[in-house]
Amino acid sequence: MSEERFGEFVLVRRHEQGHVAELVLDRPKAMNAVSTQMARSIAGACTSLGEDRDVRAVVLTSTHERAFCVGADLKERNSFSDADLLRQRPVTRGAYTGVLELPVPTVAAVHGFALGGGFELALACDVIVADRTAVVGLPEVSVGVIPGGGGTQLLPRRVGAARAAELIFSARRVEAAEAGELGLVDQVVEEGRDRAEALALAGRIAGNSPVGLRAAKRALRLGQGLDLRAGLEVEDAAWRATAFSGDRAEGVAAFNERRKPEWPGE
């Protein structure tokens, strides 16, 4: 496994086997509160991962024992002028859109607190695996703002408009069991198992065609919110991008020869 650090607070681990990478939030002294510096590092790490054709799946993890990420660094923001906050906005947006726009499947491994921007980082992933200690929520209205990392758009796509409105307007925190019932997270696992289970899932995902994975993710994301006819056109374009690829030829050959595919990734 190789490691690459992006600034002081973000680490990328590339696992030697399985084409899986970890995007690690590593600011334990602040429970991974997202500062300007950390946001810039998340965006930089996402750019690097997105350009790495050897990576087929990314797992978003945390080094803090009791928190995934508690959201924006409010201590830093307490010192901001309005002009400072305005200047910071594109930087923080870059972190959330960086995760959201990763071209490969992403899995969030959540334990402890995932609040505000921390939960939005998880929502930007395709799948959320949470252990039984997880507490999630979007409490921004309780401090005079609104979710700004995609929460007002991503949460309704998960749980519906009415449920998202109740959660955002009430600013309430939701524990793991209820979060699983409501669809706020996709899997609830035993305490301390979130990272292992997320990595196992990413490994299974990464065993599939890299061309197919990227195209399927593109179709899923671009098709959201479209009417059925338009969505089917998005799917058709993604299908065409895979149907004449080397991966498709290898996949069919491997199936007929009853062997494991050796994906060319093109």
Side-chain angles (χ1 to χ4, degrees), residues 249-261:
E250 169 61 11
V252 172
F255 177 84
N256 283 288
E257 295 166 15
R258 298 184 179 182
R259 60 175 174 81
K260 185 178 179 180

Side-chain angles (χ1 to χ4, degrees), residues 119-153:
F119 188 38
E120 288 174 302
L121 286 172
L123 288 172
C125 295
D126 300 299
V127 181
I128 302 174
V129 176
D131 83 358
R132 296 190 182 280
T133 69
V135 179
V136 304
L138 297 175
E140 284 86 347
V141 297
S142 69
V143 293
V145 290
I146 70 166
T152 65
Q153 305 305 305

